Amino acid sequence: MKFFLDTANLDDIKHYAAMGLLDGVTTNPSLVAKTGKSLKQVITEICEVVDGPISAEVISTDKKGMIAEGLELAKIHKNVTIKVPLTEDGLGACRELAQQNIKVNVTLCFTSVQALLAAKAGATFISPFIGRLDDLGQMGLELIEDIREIYDNYAFPTEILVASVRSPQHVRFAAKIGADVCTVPPKVIGQLMKHPLTDTGLAQFLKDHEKSSE
Ligand code: G3P
């Protein structure tokens, strides 16, 4: 499974890229707004740090505007992946951009039939938001299972990019289900590494070492 970092914060991106953990980065308008920088500046900086798909989301909601924005954003770098929402206009823009060999990440996906349409439209990635489904008391991971089954039934090349990830358990089960990518917030990627027994075990090793060298 590929790991993308779900942030526009360059320091966090540099930190985890330096560990060799990152296969790409996803941003969205809310994450970019936190930086105080323009989308073009943010995406340009990220493309200089991570050699993989970098998602940049359009702001337009009409097909024509999405396509125009997507074509402009794609000029920033070969790795730029255009994020469009899963709407009628978004699917239309996806088809047009895909036909121009521009990678598209269709986002804000909440049902398996939405994901089916995105695959038909030529999406490179589909982003089901599992955390937001969990927030409603639904089982976000069941959506990943359904999409995986449907995509495998028809050998769709669209990659399942699990988004709205809130915990290491989300990552664990996304991997068990066979998702292609998990886009993980910096907080969660940090949690993936941690276990209290690792910390206490290391402390004991060091304590025993100190005793032996006394
Ligand atoms: O990539 C989408 C992600 O940033 C949304 O996460 O936690 O706002 O649902 P969240």
Side-chain angles (χ1 to χ4, degrees), residues 165-188:
V165 167
R166 303 280 176 76
S167 70
Q169 291 306 313
H170 274 166
V171 177
R172 172 182 172 226
F173 283 104
K176 284 170 67 78
I177 292 166
D180 301 283
V181 189
C182 227
T183 191
V184 189
K187 177 189 170 199
V188 175

Side-chain angles (χ1 to χ4, degrees), residues 11-193:
D11 290 338
D12 286 336
I13 294 168
K14 286 177 178 176
H15 177 71
Y16 292 111
M19 297 169 75
L21 294 180
L22 303 188
D23 300 299
V25 175
T26 53
T27 71
N28 63 40
S30 304
L31 295 172
V32 171
K34 288 178 183 174
T35 68
K37 302 175 185 174
S38 71
L39 177 59
K40 183 173 182 179
Q41 184 181 352
V42 167
I43 299 302
T44 301
E45 290 174 348
I46 295 173
C47 287
E48 288 165 5
V49 175
V50 176
D51 183 18
I54 310 297
S55 286
E57 188 159 344
V58 298
I59 296 298
S60 300
T61 54
D62 65 297
K63 175 182 168 183
K64 189 176 176 208
M66 289 180 191
I67 293 168
E69 268 193 74
L71 291 171
E72 274 309 300
L73 288 168
K75 290 174 184 173
I76 296 172
H77 192 280
K78 66 178 175 55
N79 287 338
V80 170
T81 299
I82 307 305
K83 232 180 180 182
V84 296
L86 211 155
T87 61
E88 190 164 345
D89 283 83
L91 290 174
C94 175
R95 184 69 182 159
E96 178 62 29
L97 291 168
Q99 286 181 327
Q100 295 194 41
N101 296 316
I102 292 172
K103 291 189 289 293
V104 182
N105 178 0
V106 178
T107 190
L108 288 168
C109 171
F110 294 97
T111 71
S112 55
V113 289
Q114 279 184 319
L116 177 55
L117 294 180
K120 297 283 290 180
T124 309
F125 300 104
I126 183 69
S127 289
F129 278 31
I130 63 173
R132 295 191 187 185
L133 288 170
D134 290 359
D135 292 345
L136 297 178
Q138 298 177 26
M139 288 292 291
L141 285 163
E142 286 181 355
L143 172 59
I144 306 304
E145 288 176 332
D146 288 353
I147 296 171
R148 179 74 286 157
E149 183 180 355
I150 292 169
Y151 279 17
D152 291 351
N153 285 348
Y154 302 100
F156 282 120
T158 302
E159 294 189 50
I160 302 171
L161 196 170
V162 180
S164 188
V165 167
R166 303 280 176 76
S167 70
Q169 291 306 313
H170 274 166
V171 177
R172 172 182 172 226
F173 283 104
K176 284 170 67 78
I177 292 166
D180 301 283
V181 189
C182 227
T183 191
V184 189
K187 177 189 170 199
V188 175
I189 209 164
Q191 290 170 342
L192 291 175
M193 306 174 200

